[in-house]
Amino acid sequence: MNTRTQIIEKAVELFNLKGYGSVSMKQIADALGVDRRNITYHFNKEELLLTIADQMWKELEEARSQKRDFPSFENLDKEVKLYNRLQHTYAFIFRDLYVMEHPEVAA
């Protein structure tokens, strides 16, 4: 797993646990056992948030592209499970007021 992916996964974990506003880049670095500069080389905190939000939207679009083009209970079931998984995986995006009101994430 590459460094950027490790940072993103650990950030999502910590943001879900403590909230976006309560987690510093140093805390992410400490949780990964690296120097904070290794994290900030790849992202600042806002870039990290936008990268995570983009990742979530890409997952959503990819899953939607695999559904059938006609209404069906199978499509409905998959859509509900998809939203449930995304809300669980990226819970902080749906719970943190700062994140929900962030201009680029809200759009």
Side-chain angles (χ1 to χ4, degrees):
M1 185 180 334
N2 70 36
T3 303
R4 289 177 63 88
T5 302
Q6 289 177 355
I7 294 167
I8 290 167
E9 286 183 2
K10 186 55 71 176
V12 168
E13 178 186 326
L14 292 173
F15 293 162
N16 283 337
L17 188 63
K18 299 179 181 183
Y20 174 79
S22 298
V23 176
S24 69
M25 297 300 275
K26 181 170 182 350
Q27 288 171 312
I28 296 168
D30 289 347
L32 288 169
V34 298
D35 189 274
R36 182 187 57 81
R37 290 173 290 192
N38 291 353
I39 304 292
T40 57
Y41 171 80
H42 295 281
F43 302 103
N44 64 39
K45 193 171 179 186
E46 183 158 337
E47 291 168 340
L48 183 55
L49 171 63
L50 297 177
T51 299
I52 293 167
D54 285 344
Q55 177 176 298
M56 182 188 73
W57 289 118
K58 284 177 188 173
E59 286 181 41
L60 176 64
E61 290 305 315
E62 182 179 312
R64 282 184 168 169
S65 71
Q66 296 173 5
K67 73 178 189 176
R68 297 180 183 186
D69 289 335
F70 56 89
S72 72
F73 286 114
E74 179 184 340
N75 283 341
L76 178 60
D77 182 58
K78 286 181 180 179
E79 192 90 358
V80 169
K81 287 178 181 174
L82 169 65
Y83 285 121
N84 186 38
R85 182 178 61 77
L86 291 176
Q87 281 189 315
H88 177 74
T89 303
Y90 303 100
F92 79 96
I93 290 177
F94 302 97
R95 289 191 312 224
D96 192 309
L97 191 57
Y98 173 81
V99 174
M100 291 186 321
E101 293 181 350
H102 188 284
E104 292 183 53
V105 175

